């Protein structure tokens, strides 16, 4: 028994370290998770610098950094600050939003397949955007509003249909899969009713792309993340307790349904806003939390590592699409779809071998 207690203590020491702040506040610091977050941030920044320098007019990383610091020439200032920097910032914010939203849904459903891609939120946001494009020939701002409304309406419908003395994991996933099928059918119907120009515009948007993104997409995403990310991280402790079950969470003082509803609303908003900004970029929300968990080797939702992983994945995928196929020849949603589809097949095989599905 003593040896078991010692080994458990050593494992706990490796997993995290208690830090005492003034006033008696104690915070548990997971050193490995913090290291992963720092490394992912550095990777995202490095990929962003390389991506800014990639295009028809290549710019070295050193010149990119000098231009961002205000020391570039007039041509570099225009290309970097007006054309490429907004696109990269949208990619970082969209990837971070999808990674965090996916981590929230997987934690709330307690299912690795509980991501916005599987639950139909992306399809719902797409339906809202298609209604604006096909029926009203709306502009970019109206399409963004339509995607937000469609995502929120789909999230509300899933929550209400999954409610039965609370919302539980597998019921949420099953309702989401059904809603995804319905929204996919609706999207197909809307495309058949569109004229050729609107249909082509809709298909490009549905692929998921960062092409043509400017500061008009950066500021709304930045404002939304500035509000929702601290709110979500403030409820991380309650979310981690909820993974032990509702009864245990209630006993520990967590207001389960209130926290669940708040975090689901935040996840829906993050997903809908990301879809509105870049279209339905697939599989980032599914893969980012799982990859983050494998890197941190830590239980729990891993919210901050998932956020950083999502940002890194999306800017890296955008760099791959431009490097391999040329600027704007391959939308980033195609690259993430191929990579994510392979990962999903691997995940399903792993879960089946483990006897969880």
């Amino acid at each position: 028994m003593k040896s078991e207690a010692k080994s458990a203590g050593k494992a706990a020491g490796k997993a995290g370290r208690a830090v005492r702040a003034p006033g008696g506040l104690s915070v548990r610091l997971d050193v490995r998770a913090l290291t992963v977050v720092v490394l992912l941030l550095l990777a995202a920044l490095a990929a962003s610098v390389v991506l800014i320098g990639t295009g028809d007019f290549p710019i070295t990383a050193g010149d990119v950094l000098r231009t961002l610091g205000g020391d570039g020439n007039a041509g570099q200032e225009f290309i970097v600050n007006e054309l490429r920097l907004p696109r990269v910032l949208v990619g970082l914010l969209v990837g971070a939003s999808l990674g965090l939203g996916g981590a929230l849904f997987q934690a709330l459903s307690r299912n690795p397949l509980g991501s916005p891609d599987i639950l139909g939120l992306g399809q719902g946001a797409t339906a809202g955007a298609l209604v604006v494009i096909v029926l009203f020939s709306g502009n970019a701002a109206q399409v963004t509003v339509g995607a937000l409304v469609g995502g929120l309406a789909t999230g509300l419908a899933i929550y209400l249909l999954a409610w039965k003395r609370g919302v539980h994991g597998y019921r949420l996933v099953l309702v989401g899969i059904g809603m995804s099928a319905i929204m996919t059918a609706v999207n197909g119907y809307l495309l058949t009713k569109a004229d050729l120009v609107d249909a082509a515009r809709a298909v490009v948007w549905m692929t998921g792309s960062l092409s043509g993104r400017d500061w008009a997409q950066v500021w709304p995403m930045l404002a939304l993340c500035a509000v929702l990310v601290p709110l979500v991280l403030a409820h991380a402790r309650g979310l981690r307790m909820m993974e032990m079950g509702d009864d245990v969470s209630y006993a520990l003082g967590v207001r389960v349904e209130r926290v669940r509803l708040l975090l689901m609303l935040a996840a829906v908003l993050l997903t809908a806003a990301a879809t509105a900004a870049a279209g339905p970029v697939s599989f980032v929300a599914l893969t980012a939390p799982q990859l983050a968990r494998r890197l941190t080797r830590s239980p729990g939702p891993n919210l901050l590592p998932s956020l950083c992983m999502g940002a890194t994945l999306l800017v890296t995928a955008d760099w791959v699409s431009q490097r391999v196929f040329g600027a704007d020849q391959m939308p980033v949603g195609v690259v993430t779809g191929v990579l994510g589809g392979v990962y999903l097949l691997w995940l399903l095989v792993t879960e089946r071998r483990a006897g969880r599905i």
Side-chain angles (χ1 to χ4, degrees), residues 92-112:
L92 289 171
L93 292 168
V94 167
S97 299
L98 291 175
L100 183 57
L104 286 172
F105 274 113
Q106 290 180 20
L108 290 170
S109 64
R110 284 173 270 182
N111 191 317

Side-chain angles (χ1 to χ4, degrees), residues 50-73:
V50 174
L51 181 57
I52 291 174
T54 302
D56 293 332
F57 184 79
I59 305 174
T60 64
D63 288 337
V64 169
L65 293 174
R66 280 191 290 272
T67 304
L68 291 174
D71 294 330
N73 58 45

Side-chain angles (χ1 to χ4, degrees), residues 81-247:
N81 294 329
E82 297 300 325
L83 297 181
R84 296 180 183 174
L85 180 59
R87 172 180 179 145
V88 171
L89 290 177
V90 171
L92 289 171
L93 292 168
V94 167
S97 299
L98 291 175
L100 183 57
L104 286 172
F105 274 113
Q106 290 180 20
L108 290 170
S109 64
R110 284 173 270 182
N111 191 317
L113 298 179
S115 80
D117 302 306
I118 307 298
L119 298 180
L121 292 172
Q123 291 85 342
T126 301
L130 285 180
V131 167
V132 174
I133 293 173
V134 174
L135 301 183
F136 302 104
S137 299
N139 56 32
Q142 292 168 336
V143 170
T144 299
V145 173
L148 283 171
V149 172
L152 286 172
T154 304
L156 178 62
I158 293 172
Y159 185 85
L160 294 176
L161 291 172
W163 174 271
K164 185 179 180 182
R165 295 190 297 275
V167 176
H168 300 284
Y170 279 101
R171 189 159 62 240
L172 181 68
V173 173
L174 290 174
V175 171
I177 291 174
M179 186 61 66
S180 176
I182 293 172
M183 289 296 102
T184 300
V186 170
N187 294 339
Y189 172 77
L190 288 172
L191 283 176
T192 63
K193 293 299 181 181
D195 58 39
L196 186 60
V197 174
D198 286 339
R201 180 184 170 200
V203 168
V204 171
W205 188 89
M206 289 173 63
T207 306
S209 174
L210 296 174
S211 177
R213 298 307 182 263
D214 56 26
W215 292 104
Q217 284 84 36
V218 173
W219 299 120
M221 283 295 301
L222 186 61
L224 186 73
C225 290
V227 173
L228 291 181
V229 172
L231 178 66
V232 169
L233 295 180
H235 289 82
R237 181 173 176 271
L239 181 62
R240 185 163 186 170
M241 289 181 180
M242 287 167 58
E243 291 190 334
M244 297 185 291
D246 289 359
D247 293 337

